[in-house]
Amino acid sequence: MLLPIDDPSDPRIEPYRDIRERDLKGRGGRFVIEGEVVLRTALLSGRFAIESLLIADNRIEPLVDLIAKVPSGIPVYRASRGVLDGIAGFPMHRGILAMGVRGEASTPGELLAAAPENALFIGLSAIANHDNMGGIFRNAAAFDLDGVLIDGASCDPLYRKAIRVSAGAALVTPFAQGGDIGDLCDALLAAGFEVLATSPAGRERLAEIEPAGRQAVLFGAEGPGLPERILKRLRTIRIDMRGGFDSLNVATTSGIVLHHLAR
């Protein structure tokens, strides 16, 4: 059943109000799904519960098949473009929003305990750019990773822009976030993973690394990269490039590395 919204101050759509401001402040256990591709992924995967949908009137007809997949009991609100823009606080060009529920977050230990015998993981250190986070998750889904471990210095993969850039992959690929990259490295080693560290100065070429058993690859932020204390204790790998140019965007790097190591 479609429920019309005629007033931006309607209390039923309060969680959607002032989206950009709440992107910064947080939503108390909720996250925003934006766009048809991401919403379709969220509904089909079922990994996160969806609390409600808010759709512009002119997008209702093209989305009839998708709306039919919404479980009964979840309200689907409809509003004119003007009302929708008033709710969000800026022009909503896609006209498709939904409110997801985070639920109880997995811990790194839980994620690793559930990993298969031949698993491929990545670990992320201080990835603060939401475009990079989304791009990494998109690569992780494309190469069927078993999990992503993210340190506490990295941004939230369920941030609205990160989800959108990931094309919904952040809602599909298992992940756990928290702690220091050193703690995550310890957990991977204790779970029997061979842990590789990426660096432009890596001692081994990526092409020389063979996919084998349980493997994990660590990626650091553009610029500083992984901490020196991490690089000193692990096998380090590099992607050879033309002389005088020694770095790639971290999301691009992850795609190249995962393509090589994917099971």
Side-chain angles (χ1 to χ4, degrees):
M1 180 179 178
L2 297 173
L3 306 171
I5 300 293
D6 301 316
D7 182 355
S9 64
D10 190 314
R12 291 176 294 174
I13 45 78
E14 194 278 334
Y16 294 94
R17 200 165 297 125
D18 301 321
I19 282 179
R20 282 179 174 165
E21 182 179 349
R22 291 189 180 185
D23 280 345
L24 301 175
K25 293 182 178 180
R27 294 186 168 82
R30 299 184 178 100
F31 63 91
V32 171
I33 294 165
E34 181 182 3
E36 180 179 353
V37 171
V38 178
L39 178 57
R40 192 175 294 276
T41 299
L43 287 171
L44 291 178
S45 75
R47 182 163 173 248
F48 292 95
I50 293 178
E51 189 176 75
S52 65
L53 285 74
L54 176 60
I55 301 175
D57 284 337
N58 67 327
R59 299 304 304 272
I60 295 293
E61 187 173 345
L63 294 177
V64 167
D65 69 316
L66 188 58
I67 293 171
K69 293 180 171 64
V70 177
S72 60
I74 295 176
V76 181
Y77 301 111
R78 63 183 300 169
S80 68
R81 280 283 179 174
V83 171
L84 188 62
D85 293 349
I87 294 167
F90 65 99
M92 288 297 305
H93 300 298
R94 291 173 178 80
I96 302 169
L97 295 170
M99 199 62 62
V101 180
R102 289 176 180 268
E104 187 172 347
S106 298
T107 67
E110 290 169 342
L111 211 59
L112 291 170
E117 183 176 347
N118 291 308
L120 181 59
F121 270 61
I122 57 174
L124 304 180
S125 171
I127 305 296
N129 182 286
H130 294 100
D131 290 286
N132 284 336
M133 182 64 77
I136 291 169
F137 264 87
R138 188 165 184 169
N139 293 334
F143 296 110
D144 198 24
L145 250 68
D146 297 290
V148 180
L149 300 183
I150 310 167
D151 71 0
S154 295
C155 64
D156 181 8
L158 294 184
Y159 181 88
R160 179 171 57 98
K161 187 176 184 183
I163 297 174
R164 189 175 72 237
V165 173
S166 80
L171 306 180
V172 176
T173 303
F175 70 88
Q177 183 167 18
D180 178 78
I181 188 62
D183 300 329
L184 300 181
C185 182
D186 290 342
L188 285 162
L189 291 169
F193 280 77
E194 176 190 32
V195 184
L196 308 170
T198 56
S199 169
R203 291 181 291 275
E204 298 178 68
R205 296 170 58 240
L206 172 64
E208 298 168 348
I209 307 299
E210 293 292 332
R214 287 187 156 195
Q215 281 181 316
V217 188
L218 306 186
F219 298 91
E222 291 180 41
L226 290 166
E228 188 65 25
R229 59 188 169 86
I230 298 296
L231 295 174
K232 285 181 177 179
R233 63 184 293 201
L234 297 176
R235 190 179 179 187
T236 58
I237 60 174
R238 70 182 188 274
I239 298 171
D240 285 337
M241 284 169 279
R242 187 184 70 189
F245 202 86
D246 68 354
S247 65
L248 290 168
N249 169 272
V250 65
T252 301
T253 300
S254 73
I256 295 171
V257 172
L258 296 179
H259 175 265
H260 179 75
L261 295 178
R263 303 299 187 256

